[in-house]
Amino acid sequence: MTPQEPTHVPDPTAALDATGGYDLATFSLSDTVRCGRDLRHAARGAPDLHSAAQAVVDYLVKALHGGDDGEPSCALARLFLTEPAGDADAPDRYLGLAGTAGDVPDLALDRYRRIPLADVAAGRTAPLVAALLRELGLDPAGILTGVGLPSWFGVLHVPDPAGSPVVAEQAFVADHRVRSIVGFGGALTGADFFAVLLFSRTPVTAQTAELFHSIAVNVQLGLLEHAPVDEPTGRVERRLAWERLVGAMESTLTEQALRLESSVTDLSRTRDRLVTSQHRLTAEAELVETLYSVGSKLSAVLDLNTLVQYATDAVTRLVGAAFGSFFYNVTDENGESYLLYALSGVPRDRFERFPMPRNTQVFGPTFDGTAVVRSADIRTDPRYGHNPPYTGTPPGHLPVVSYLAVPVISPTGVVIGGFFLGDPEPGRFSDRHERIAVGIAAQTAIAMDNAGLYRQQRHAAAELQRSLLPTLPVLPGMTLTSRYLPATRGYQVGGDWVDVIPLPAGRTALVVGDVMGKGMKAAAVMGQLRTAVRAYAGLDLPPAEVLRRLDTLLGQLPVPQLATCVYAVHDPLADTLSVASAGHVPPAVLGGDGTVRYVDDRLGPPLGVGSRPFVQRRVPFGAGAALLLFTDGLIERRGQDIVDGLSRLAAQLAVPADSDERLVDRLVAAAEQSDDTAVLLARWRPTTPRRTAACRLAPSPGSARAARRFVADTLRAWDVPEDLVADAVAVADELVVNAVRHAGTDARLRVHRADGRIQVDVADHDPRLPRRIPTGPYDEGHRGLQIVESLSHRWGVRATEDGKLVWAELRPAATGAAP
Amino acid sequence: MTSTYSGDGAGLTFRTGDLPDGLRLAVGGEIDFQSAHVLRARAAGPAADPALARLVLDLTDVTFCDSSGLGALIALHKTRAAAGGRLELAHVPAPLRHLLRITNLDEVFTLIDEPV
C-alpha cells in the first residue's frame, strides 16, 4: 500500500459485472477514468508482478467489448515485461511475455515468450513491439540500453492491421477478424518497461486510441507496486507516475474539452442554420397554407362579383398593402379602357374621379399578361410618367409609392385582368409578397374561369328546366302538389317530368315520366314526350293507348331512347282512376282512410322497347284519395334495392301530415337526391257536390224532343240559370240528333253539373266518330256540331269500349256568341 | 183576313194571312229534327210561287229551332230565290236570332221587325 492510494480497493471484476464493461466503439472519457482505475486496482491487487501482468490482460479481455452484441473486443491481449538485466556474463536483455489472454492465449508462444531486445531493436522480430517503442521515442540504442526510458509512456494505434507491415500475425488477424490494434507501454523502474498489445475486433478510432494514454499510466502505476525497487527510486517513480497520470488526464481532458467546445460551436452553428431554415420553412408553409385557404374559399364562390371582391380583399390583406384593386381587362375601341371591378382598403369614390388605367408603360405588362411589376418606389421607376398629359398619377390620386401589379390569366391564356396593389410607404412589397400575389392571382383566375363556366351551364340548365316543366293547372276539387329537385351534384338537367292535363267531363290525366340518361339530350326527348302525351291526352285516348303510341313514337327516334311513364286518368263521375304504366316505379294511391297502396301489378315494359301491349287498370279513387306519382330519385338509395325504397316510402306516406305540402316536403327531405326527382301528389277533394242525371233514348226522331225535356227539367231542378239551360238544351238536341241520325243505336244522355259548369254527353254504340264539316251559307245540313261548338265552352268525342261518347261542356261565362 | 191552320203533326202550327203584295205565314212550336220537314213541306208552295211579290215568315211563336230547322229555312230561301223573290223572316225570337248569328245565317236572311 502506498499513502497516495485509497485504502479501500473494490473488486474490479465485481465492478465490471455491475457496469457491463466498456464498449470500445463508444469509449468515452468517463469510461477511460473508470477502466483505468479498475486496471490499476487489478494490477496492484495481484500478489506479484507477473500475476499483475496477467490480471491486466484478463481484465482487458473481459472488460472491453464491441457493439450491441457484446462480443469481447480483444481477440488477444498481451503484456510484455523487460526481464531484469542479467549479470556481466549475460548482458543481453529480453522482453518476456508476462500476461496473455483472449481467443488463443498460446498464439506463437515459442516466438514471443522471450524476445531478445537486440532482435527487436534490429527489427528481426516482434515488429509491433518495435513500432510501439519507436512510437514512444526509443531508438534502437535506447531499446537496448533503456537510456531515455525513465519518463515515457505512450500509445501505438494501428487502425487497419490487415496487410500492415508492422503486424506479423496476419493469419491470426484475418481468422479472428481483428480490425484495429492498440498498443501502449511505459517505463517501470530503472531501465525496465512494459508493453501491452490489444488485438481488437472492434474498430478503434484515433480518438479512442488517444484515451489509452491514461490507461497506460494507470497500468504503469499498478505494475509499479510490484516493481523491484530500492525504496527512494521507487518513490520517485511512483510520484512521477502520478504526475504523469494527472498530466495525461489533464491533456486528455483538455483535448476532450476542446473537442466538446468545438462540437458545441458546431452544434450552435447547426442549430442557427436549423432555426433559419425552420423559419424559412414555416414561412413557406404559411404561404402555402394561406394560398390554399384563399384558393379553396375562392373555388367555393361561384358568384363572380363575390369572388372578385373576396380575392381583392385577400390579396390586399396578405401583402399588407394600404389599398388594392382588381381591373377587368376590358378594352374599348381605342384599346385603352379597363374596368374597375373591385376595390379594397379605400372607398370606391376615391377612384371614380380618375380615368381608368390606360395602356401605359406601367400598366402594359399587367394587361398584356407579360410580367409582374413590383417597385419599391414607382415614382422612380423608368416606366413611370410617360403618359401625357399626365406625368405620373393624376392629382388627388391615391398616394401610390410601393407598387405591385399582377396579371390574372385564365387557364386558357386569356388575361382576365389584374390586381393592382399600392402603399404610400416605399419598399413595402417583398419577394414573398410578390409570390403571394402571384399565387392568389393564379387561384383567382381558375376560380373565375370555373364561376364563368358554372354560370353558363347553370343558366342553360335552369332555363331548359323552366321551359320544360309544366305550370300545373288549377283544377276544381283537385289539389296538386309537385316538386322538381335536380340532383344535388352536377348541373345537368334530368329527363324527369310530371304533368297534369285536364280532360273532358271533369276528368284529369296525371302523368309522370323519366327519360333514361341525363343532359340536354334526355331533356330534349323529355320535351318531345311531354308534348306527345299532351297531344294524345287531347285526343282523350285511353291510358294504355296513350302509352302504346308513345312507345311507337319513341321507337321512331333516330337515336334509340328508353323512357318510363305512368299515365293515369281520374274520372270523378265514376270515382275511379284508370292507370297504365310503362316500366315506371309504381304510383301510390293514398285512400281517404289513410291506406297506402301501390298500383304495381303487371307493369308494362318501358317505352321504346316496342311490341307488347300495355295493361290498363282501374282502381277506386273516391273523395279524399290521393295519387302520388314520382320518379325513382325519390326512393333510390345507394346499396338498397327498389323494394326497400318502396317500403320506406309507404311507411312515410302512412304518417299523417298537416297538409299535402308538408307531406311532400317530408318525402323529398328523406330522399338521398343522388338523382333528379320529380314528385306529384294529386288529391281529390271535390269542393261542391257534383250532380249527374242520365236517360236512355231510342233511335227515333222523337228522342230529340224527349232529350230537350229531360235536360230542361233536370237543369231547372238544379237551379241552373235559364240562359245556360237554353244553351244546354240546344246542345243536347244537336248531340242526340246526331246519334239518332248517324248511329241509329240506343243512346245514353247524361248531364252533369259541378262548380257551375254543365256537361252534356251522349254515348252511342257506333264507333265511327263525328266530324265537323265546314258549311257554306246555303248548305242545309252539317250545322249541328257548329252550333255545339258555338254554344259550349268546349266539346269533344272519345272512344268508349263499345262505341263513342260525344260531350260538350258549358260555362256561364261562355254563354253567348263570341264577339 | 186571317185563317188558321192546324199543323199536320210534330207540334207545329201555321197561320197564313194576306199581305197587300204577298203572303204572311206564321209558324209556331218547335222546329226540330222531327218537325222541320213539316215546315219545309208547308212553305214550299208559296216560296216557289213567282206571283207572290212578298213572302214573310212570322216566327213569333217559334219556341225552339235547331240545325234541322235552319236547314228547312235555307231550303225555303233557296226555293224563293229560284222563283225570283226573297224570304223575309219576321219577329225572330232572341234564341233563334242568336242561332242565326252564330251560324252566320243572319247575313243570308232578311230579318224584319215591323208589324206585318
Side-chain angles (χ1 to χ4, degrees), chain A residues 691-697 710 714 718 747-752 761:
Chain A
R691 309 190 75 159
T692 300
C695 74
R696 296 227 150 258
L697 298 167
F710 170 74
T714 304
W718 291 349
R748 185 199 61 191
L749 167 68
R750 290 191 308 190
V751 281
H752 318 283
D761 61 51

Side-chain angles (χ1 to χ4, degrees), chain B residues 1-115:
Chain B
M1 271 259 345
T2 300
S3 15
T4 302
Y5 298 86
S6 65
D8 55 351
L12 286 187
T13 60
F14 297 96
R15 281 175 296 140
T16 55
D18 291 330
L19 296 175
D21 51 351
L23 183 72
R24 169 178 165 275
L25 180 61
V27 189
E30 300 171 296
I31 312 170
D32 66 357
F33 179 55
Q34 193 179 2
S35 63
H37 70 281
V38 178
L39 169 63
R40 237 185 245 233
R42 178 66 184 81
D49 184 355
L52 280 177
R54 289 184 74 191
L55 177 58
V56 176
L57 212 52
D58 189 334
L59 302 175
T60 306
D61 296 323
V62 171
T63 51
F64 180 79
C65 181
D66 69 0
S67 61
S68 308
L70 293 180
L73 293 177
I74 290 167
L76 292 173
H77 174 82
K78 287 197 289 194
T79 305
R80 186 74 190 131
R86 55 176 188 158
L87 182 64
E88 296 170 69
L89 303 183
H91 307 128
V92 181
L96 181 51
R97 199 178 284 264
H98 178 52
L99 204 62
L100 291 174
R101 194 159 60 241
I102 63 178
T103 52
N104 298 316
L105 292 174
D106 52 347
E107 307 285 317
V108 172
F109 294 106
T110 305
L111 276 56
I112 55 172
D113 285 317
E114 63 272 25

Side-chain angles (χ1 to χ4, degrees), chain A residues 71-124:
Chain A
E71 186 187 35
S73 291
C74 293
L76 185 67
R78 286 191 157 169
L79 194 150
F80 298 91
L81 289 169
T82 46
E83 291 182 355
D87 51 21
D89 296 338
D92 290 348
R93 302 189 64 210
Y94 292 90
L95 198 58
L97 182 59
T100 179
D103 302 345
V104 194
D106 296 339
L107 177 75
L109 275 185
D110 293 346
R111 202 178 318 155
Y112 296 113
R113 180 174 287 137
R114 195 157 181 269
I115 311 167
L117 275 177
D119 286 354
V120 175
R124 281 192 292 269

